[in-house]
């Protein structure tokens, strides 16, 4: 009868162990920000749909378009962080800049916004600033310095 029990062998004797380790390191490629891509995308998604969730589409039409466009921009940044991290992590600061803009946007773009609109945009902006700083910090730690 054949031994079908899984056994854990030592891979150090494998002839391709160094190549496998190099390939694994290349695949990870300094991906320390992987856990932040999802929350940034979800924040962008919420920002884009928040006017309809909070029902201020009739009272603040300029902010509806603004939040939709900014939410799509945040979502695209997150997708870029996921798809091409080596090129996009330099734009981590853009997420923080968008967050600062979201905080002041109700007074710049809106027309005498009510408290719900202000609180919504300030929370979205604060989260974008925090996540952007976390992404930028993780990207700075993962880049190799000569």
């Amino acid at each position: 009868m054949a031994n079908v029990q899984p056994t854990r062998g030592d891979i150090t004797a494998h002839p391709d162990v160094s190549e496998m380790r190099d390939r694994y390191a290349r695949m990870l490629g300094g991906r320390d920000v992987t856990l932040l891509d999802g929350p940034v995308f979800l924040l962008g998604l919420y920002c884009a749909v928040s006017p309809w969730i909070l029902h201020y589409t009739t009272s603040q039409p300029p902010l509806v378009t603004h939040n939709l466009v900014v939410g799509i921009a945040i979502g695209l940044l997150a997708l870029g962080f996921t798809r091409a991290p080596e090129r996009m992590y330099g734009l981590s600061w853009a997420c923080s800049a968008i967050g600062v803009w979201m905080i002041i946007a109700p007074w710049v773009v809106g027309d005498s916004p009510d408290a719900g609109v202000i609180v919504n945009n300030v929370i979205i902006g604060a989260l974008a600033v925090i996540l952007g700083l976390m992404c930028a910090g993780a990207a700075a730690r993962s880049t190799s310095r000569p």
Side-chain angles (χ1 to χ4, degrees):
M1 183 157 207
N3 183 9
V4 292
Q5 295 295 327
T7 58
R8 298 245 177 211
D10 188 15
I11 196 167
T12 56
H14 193 280
D16 296 328
V17 71
S18 61
E19 181 182 338
M20 288 188 292
R21 284 188 180 141
D22 291 342
R23 184 175 181 199
Y24 183 73
R26 261 192 337 267
M27 282 177 42
L28 287 180
R31 294 278 303 160
D32 291 340
V33 190
T34 303
L35 296 176
L36 297 173
D37 297 347
V40 171
F41 180 76
L42 290 176
L43 181 69
L45 182 66
Y46 174 74
C47 180
V49 299
S50 65
W52 292 276
I53 292 174
L54 298 178
H55 303 292
Y56 61 87
T57 54
T58 56
S59 65
Q60 297 292 327
L63 273 175
V64 171
T65 306
H66 171 268
N67 280 17
L68 178 65
V69 170
V70 171
I72 291 171
I74 292 172
L76 288 175
L77 273 175
L79 289 176
F81 294 157
T82 302
R83 181 71 182 124
E86 62 280 350
R87 289 186 280 169
M88 291 294 292
Y89 283 156
L91 290 176
S92 299
W93 293 100
C95 191
S96 295
I98 290 173
V100 170
W101 171 249
M102 281 298 293
I103 292 171
I104 63 171
W107 296 281
V108 176
V109 177
D111 182 30
S112 63
D114 62 351
V117 173
I118 293 171
V119 168
N120 180 58
N121 275 24
V122 167
I123 289 173
I124 291 172
L127 287 173
V129 168
I130 290 168
L131 288 172
L133 290 175
M134 289 172 66
C135 286
R141 280 192 313 268
S142 68
T143 57
S144 59
R145 293 186 175 89

